[in-house]
Amino acid sequence: MDAATTLKKHDLKVTKIRLAILDALGKTELAKPYAELQAMLAEFDRTTLYRTLLALMEKGVIHKALEENGESYYALCSDCSIETHVHDHMHFKCTTCGVVQCLDLPKRLKFSAPGIHIDSIEVFAKGQCSNCN
Amino acid sequence: MDAATTLKKHDLKVTKIRLAILDALGKTELAKPYAELQAMLAEFDRTTLYRTLLALMEKGVIHKALEENGESYYALCSDCSIETHVHDHMHFKCTTCGVVQCLDLPKRLKFSAPGIHIDSIEVFAKGQCSNCN
DNA sequence: TTTTAAATGCAACCGTGTTGCATTTAAAGG
DNA sequence: CCTTTAAATGCAACACGGTTGCATTTAAAA
């Protein structure tokens, strides 16, 4: 599915920066840091980038994979919508080369604690990616 | 163990702000957001707070429990040192009242993926705490 | 083609992260 | 108890991302 179709499916107008963001995030499971996105999209105002990222997240097109030391990483969603954000994957950062990627989880995680009700769980792992070990 | 002893054990000089931070974080498993810490420690320069938090983290006295929307939450470590930071607990945020706490994990988590070597895993859950459900 | 709600660009402000440097202080040694 | 000194602190300054208001532009529906 091309970028314009993706946007329409999520009730988003097709605009230049939205196409550019989807293009920048590619079709991979790799997450990009905000600073890199901004550099790739320097032709647009950073406020527009900010609001566009918000809109794409709200509509379930992209998600914030992780936040580390004030740096946010963004990645495409696989199958989210404005109603349901489901992420059955973990986020992995290679401490050697710095790449951040979404990895499938073998099964849905379940945790429990007395008196507590858990709605969502995020898993963030660090280590060495296949290129770096 | 009192705060001064804790500091000495981790090769840290006993200073006013360090005692105040340990006092602010209490003896509980609750994590405090940066803004709250800063408000409680308004008598100190924020640069000093910044550097003190860095020092306490490096020496294994406190840890950054989580980062969410640019807000960092800090909590005491249970048994860390400058050499080993071990956190066999997950971080939980109540989406109703906002409290963030460290919860014991039933067992050490293990994940694997082809070609990837995982060093550390963090788990961040959201839901309702025992007071809010 | 016209219309209009949405998107964009610009200005401005805030909070946190970060560094350099001068001053103060904890604590070790005499 | 003093002296000494490396470490800690306070202050100034800058960077950067988050955030909002408002005027202008534009996508896309009519």
Side-chain angles (χ1 to χ4, degrees):
Chain A
M1 183 165 55
D2 71 338
T5 308
T6 300
L7 291 174
K8 288 174 189 160
K9 199 176 78 169
H10 292 272
D11 287 310
L12 287 164
K13 285 189 184 177
V14 177
T15 68
K16 203 175 166 194
I17 191 175
R18 291 176 181 171
L19 293 173
I21 289 177
L22 294 192
D23 187 54
L25 292 181
K27 306 187 187 326
T28 72
E29 76 292 350
L30 292 183
K32 276 199 168 22
Y34 172 81
E36 191 174 327
L37 277 179
Q38 192 178 336
M40 293 177 74
L41 304 167
E43 63 178 302
F44 305 100
D45 188 85
R46 73 187 188 86
T47 308
T48 303
L49 173 58
Y50 164 70
R51 280 194 267 237
T52 305
L53 291 174
L54 280 187
L56 292 175
M57 283 194 286
E58 186 196 346
K59 296 302 178 82
V61 180
I62 67 175
H63 65 287
K64 193 183 283 191
L66 64 94
E67 254 175 280
E68 192 192 34
N69 298 327
E71 208 172 20
S72 295
Y73 288 74
Y74 297 90
L76 292 181
C77 293
S78 52
D79 190 31
C80 296
S81 70
I82 193 173
E83 301 94 19
T84 54
H85 280 257
V86 179
H87 293 291
D88 275 336
H89 62 259
M90 61 187 287
H91 294 117
F92 171 81
K93 179 171 189 174
C94 174
T95 49
T96 302
C97 70
V99 297
V100 172
Q101 52 188 314
C102 304
L103 295 179
D104 283 333
L105 277 177
K107 58 182 185 303
R108 192 70 163 276
L109 286 180
K110 285 286 176 192
F111 291 110
S112 60
I116 289 182
H117 176 257
I118 291 179
D119 289 322
S120 69
I121 296 176
E122 289 177 31
V123 177
F124 172 31
K126 299 186 199 178
Q128 282 75 49
C129 73
S130 46
N131 288 330
C132 291
N133 69 3
Chain B
M1 183 164 54
D2 71 338
T5 309
T6 300
L7 291 174
K8 287 173 191 159
K9 200 176 78 171
H10 292 272
D11 285 311
L12 286 164
K13 284 190 185 176
V14 177
T15 68
K16 203 176 166 193
I17 191 174
R18 290 178 182 171
L19 293 173
I21 290 177
L22 293 193
D23 187 54
L25 292 181
K27 306 186 185 326
T28 72
E29 75 292 349
L30 293 182
K32 278 200 168 21
Y34 172 82
E36 191 174 327
L37 277 179
Q38 193 180 330
M40 296 176 72
L41 304 168
E43 62 178 302
F44 303 100
D45 189 84
R46 71 184 191 85
T47 309
T48 304
L49 174 57
Y50 164 70
R51 281 193 267 233
T52 305
L53 290 174
L54 281 187
L56 292 175
M57 283 194 287
E58 186 195 349
K59 297 304 178 80
V61 180
I62 67 174
H63 64 287
K64 193 184 282 191
L66 64 94
E67 254 177 281
E68 192 191 35
N69 298 327
E71 208 172 19
S72 296
Y73 290 73
Y74 296 90
L76 292 180
C77 293
S78 53
D79 191 31
C80 295
S81 69
I82 193 173
E83 300 93 21
T84 53
H85 279 257
V86 178
H87 294 291
D88 274 337
H89 61 259
M90 60 187 288
H91 294 117
F92 171 81
K93 179 172 189 175
C94 175
T95 50
T96 302
C97 70
V99 298
V100 172
Q101 50 188 314
C102 303
L103 296 178
D104 281 334
L105 278 177
K107 58 181 186 302
R108 193 71 167 275
L109 287 179
K110 284 286 175 190
F111 291 110
S112 59
I116 288 181
H117 176 257
I118 292 179
D119 290 322
S120 69
I121 296 177
E122 288 177 30
V123 177
F124 172 31
K126 298 187 200 179
Q128 281 75 47
C129 72
S130 47
N131 288 329
C132 291
N133 69 2

